[in-house]
Amino acid sequence: MSERAEDSTTGSRCLLPVSRYSGLSIDQVNFLACQLLALTAAFWFRLYLSPSHASPLVRHAFATLLGMAFLIFCFGWYSAHILTVVAANYLIIIKADINNVHRYSMMTAMGYLTACHVSRVFIFNYGLLSTDFSGPLMIVTQKITMLAFQLHDGMCKKSEQLTSNQKFVAIKARPSLLEYLSYNVNFLSVLVGPCSNYQDYIDFIEGRHVNRRLRQHTTTWSGQNGHHTTPDISPSKTVCRKLVVCSGCMLFFMVVTRSLPITFNVDPDFINQASFLSRLTYSFFSIQAARPKFYFAWTLADAVNNAAGYGFQGLDERGKPSWDLVSNLNIIGIETATSFKTFIDNWNIQTGIWLKTVCYDRAPKHRLALTFILSALWHGVYPGYYFTFITAIPITIAARAVRRSVRPFFLGSRTWKFAYDVVTWAATQLTIGYTVMPFLLLSLDHTLIYYRSMYFYVHIISLLAAVALHRKREPREASKSAPPAQLQPVHSNNNGTLH
């Protein structure tokens, strides 16, 4: 590790020996240390500070104080940015007109986040790691704005104006200061998320979380002859399984990811000497290799929440408990995705739910474009982010058109359907790699170098497909015979939104 990386850290340096021995940056080591401590504290929290042993006040206070300690340890005085935006938005929650509280919170939180993103670019000049303070600030921004919109729904709108899901998560009263702090900076999610509904979090702290979800599935877990049979809903097995996944992802990162650097895609010698097929192949495998670090961080965060007893979603169709309420990804769904939408529905799921809650479901028109633009703005101000999300708009439109116009011709036999799935899987994975490459390269120069080396082929194909197929519609017979939409099982990670 370089001295420059050591000097750029904003948090504690007490683990520098570990950093030098492991080859990881001090920011990454601090992050891992806090997440492992959070995992240990989460088990203790569930066993010894459970609702039957401690009051909600004690649980809120412990979760808040430990979360603040993590922030200070990892980011030093930069943690003041996170606490400042939380404090400012709490004042909005309690002082502002309730009819406009969601607008004020959105402008304040997103404005502050954007200002920090801009300063981050000028201060660190593309060189800062993903473990800096902007990550927690992004998560807090999601929580602040989601809470404000759900508070507005609960206190300003009539029941018939809300969807069934909005009714379920609507907030009927302003939170107390401790509740607000606990929701935003609790140790379970302060570093890497995920964002979750305020009402779900309060139910968890007050001991109603599991019972509320179980009541939605009484027919599944009620025994015969009217006897009540409660299934084993301990999260221990789920936590162990997710920790095994984390270990595999960490091993993959250390062995494979480092040997396939993303920046090699824009290496001048590689571009000039390698054929298009070789460049396409390396692009595909380097993007695949970049995913496990996200898998690791999000799965570990999910395991921390589950270890504390948070994240119970209900019972699946077999009556088995699901602990995926706050899961941020579905790895199998990602790796087997046969459409652009399926991929993004299973990637960064909680961010997708946030975008759906505050933008997609509420925008009067141009919902898709506005949602992608908000997602880009939330991620930061690096040009690569905007190339990724703006590129995703025509791709999504083209993918919808292809699915609507072409897919029905392959549903007549299992063989043709399998062949269609294989082709669309390969197309989806290549398209995702092409789309997210600027997200990882960040800079405008590198993005243009990469896209020129790829001859802008996905842009061209998407635009041609969108133009050629936009007038075609599903056959009337198919729409008539289509079965009604079914409720997704509780273990499904598809949230139906685009992000």
Side-chain angles (χ1 to χ4, degrees):
M1 186 186 64
S2 66
E3 294 182 4
R4 181 181 176 184
E6 293 182 9
D7 293 339
S8 67
T9 185
T10 58
S12 171
R13 296 169 180 262
C14 67
L15 296 178
L16 270 176
V18 178
S19 172
R20 290 167 180 159
Y21 178 78
S22 65
L24 298 173
S25 71
I26 183 62
D27 300 296
Q28 292 172 325
V29 170
N30 286 347
F31 167 80
L32 287 173
C34 285
Q35 283 297 84
L36 292 176
L37 179 58
L39 181 66
T40 304
F43 279 112
W44 184 84
F45 190 77
R46 177 168 61 89
L47 297 174
Y48 298 103
L49 280 186
S50 66
S52 60
H53 292 88
S55 67
L57 179 66
V58 172
R59 284 165 62 83
H60 276 306
F62 179 85
T64 302
L65 293 174
L66 187 55
M68 288 183 175
F70 285 169
L71 288 176
I72 295 170
F73 181 83
C74 287
F75 311 114
W77 72 268
Y78 277 92
S79 58
H81 288 293
I82 298 159
L83 300 178
T84 296
V85 76
V86 170
N89 278 273
Y90 184 70
L91 290 176
I92 292 174
I93 289 292
I94 62 173
K95 296 293 185 180
D97 178 6
I98 195 64
N99 293 297
N100 295 308
V101 69
H102 57 309
R103 297 188 182 94
Y104 297 154
S105 291
M106 176 63 82
M107 289 188 294
T108 302
M110 283 300 300
Y112 195 93
L113 176 63
T114 301
C116 288
H117 278 320
V118 171
S119 65
R120 178 173 174 255
V121 171
F122 285 106
I123 293 173
F124 296 103
N125 192 25
Y126 292 81
L128 193 60
L129 296 166
S130 60
T131 47
D132 74 306
F133 76 97
S134 66
L137 185 60
M138 291 163 69
I139 298 298
V140 163
T141 298
Q142 287 187 356
K143 292 182 178 181
I144 286 169
T145 52
M146 180 177 279
L147 185 151
F149 275 90
Q150 292 173 348
L151 183 65
H152 178 261
D153 287 344
M155 297 186 67
C156 297
K157 290 187 177 181
K158 296 179 181 179
S159 179
E160 56 269 20
Q161 295 177 294
L162 303 175
T163 66
S164 58
N165 184 62
Q166 288 172 343
K167 291 177 187 177
F168 188 76
V169 298
I171 303 170
K172 302 295 184 181
R174 290 180 172 92
S176 69
L177 176 59
L178 182 58
E179 289 171 337
Y180 194 77
L181 288 173
S182 177
Y183 170 66
N184 282 292
V185 299
N186 66 81
F187 75 96
L188 301 174
S189 60
V190 69
L191 293 182
V192 71
C195 174
S196 62
N197 291 309
Y198 172 80
Q199 194 59 58
D200 285 329
Y201 179 75
I202 294 300
D203 286 344
F204 157 67
I205 290 293
E206 296 182 356
R208 300 187 301 267
H209 173 55
V210 172
N211 288 335
R212 189 184 188 198
R213 294 284 168 174
L214 281 175
R215 282 198 298 270
Q216 296 178 314
H217 306 277
T218 51
T219 57
T220 304
W221 63 288
S222 292
Q224 296 178 352
N225 302 322
H227 294 290
H228 223 34
T229 58
T230 303
D232 178 16
I233 54 174
S234 170
S236 298
K237 290 182 180 179
T238 299
V239 173
C240 290
R241 174 176 57 82
K242 292 178 180 179
L243 291 178
V244 169
V245 172
C246 287
S247 300
C249 291
M250 174 60 77
L251 180 63
F252 189 96
F253 173 78
M254 300 294 288
V255 175
V256 179
T257 302
R258 290 182 170 185
S259 65
L260 294 171
I262 288 293
T263 53
F264 192 66
N265 286 281
V266 292
D267 180 79
D269 293 334
F270 175 65
I271 292 175
N272 293 329
Q273 297 174 13
S275 65
F276 173 77
L277 185 59
S278 298
R279 298 197 302 271
L280 186 64
T281 301
Y282 184 83
S283 173
F284 172 80
F285 283 107
S286 62
I287 287 292
Q288 297 291 115
R291 293 176 191 167
K293 64 181 179 182
F294 297 100
Y295 293 169
F296 170 82
W298 287 337
T299 304
L300 180 57
D302 193 14
V304 170
N305 280 271
N306 292 166
Y310 186 37
F312 180 71
Q313 191 170 9
L315 303 177
D316 62 21
E317 65 277 359
R318 296 173 296 175
K320 294 185 177 181
S322 168
W323 285 88
D324 292 335
L325 180 66
V326 296
S327 293
N328 225 356
L329 78 164
N330 177 357
I331 296 177
I332 294 177
I334 290 168
E335 298 297 340
T336 62
T338 57
S339 72
F340 195 76
K341 181 182 183 299
T342 301
F343 185 98
I344 60 179
D345 279 349
N346 289 284
W347 175 272
N348 207 352
I349 295 171
Q350 301 306 319
T351 294
I353 293 174
W354 170 69
L355 289 167
K356 189 174 189 293
T357 299
V358 304
C359 183
Y360 191 82
D361 285 346
R362 302 176 192 269
K365 55 184 178 179
H366 307 305
R367 298 191 300 174
L368 180 65
L370 289 173
T371 302
F372 277 125
I373 291 171
L374 176 60
S375 183
L377 184 64
W378 175 77
H379 279 92
V381 295
Y382 291 122
Y385 296 159
Y386 292 86
F387 269 92
T388 288
F389 289 106
I390 292 175
T391 298
I393 296 174
I395 290 175
T396 302
I397 295 172
R400 288 175 175 176
V402 170
R403 183 175 179 84
R404 182 178 65 244
S405 303
V406 177
R407 186 172 180 268
F409 294 104
F410 292 86
L411 300 181
S413 72
R414 296 178 63 182
T415 301
W416 282 107
K417 174 63 167 58
F418 177 77
Y420 176 85
D421 287 341
V422 171
V423 171
T424 53
W425 173 84
T428 297
Q429 299 300 324
L430 289 172
T431 301
I432 288 293
Y434 178 93
T435 306
V436 305
M437 186 65 74
F439 190 95
L440 300 174
L441 294 173
L442 297 179
S443 73
L444 176 62
D445 291 343
H446 284 171
T447 296
L448 293 178
I449 290 171
Y450 172 75
Y451 276 159
R452 280 197 295 265
S453 74
M454 292 289 108
Y455 308 115
F456 294 91
Y457 81 99
V458 173
H459 283 93
I460 295 171
I461 293 173
S462 298
L463 291 173
L464 291 176
V467 171
L469 301 175
H470 83 285
R471 293 183 181 275
K472 295 187 177 182
R473 299 178 181 177
E474 283 188 348
R476 189 172 299 175
E477 295 80 5
S479 62
K480 285 182 179 179
S481 62
Q486 300 295 319
L487 291 176
Q488 295 179 353
V490 295
H491 63 277
S492 172
N493 279 322
N494 282 345
N495 57 63
T497 189
L498 297 169
H499 59 95

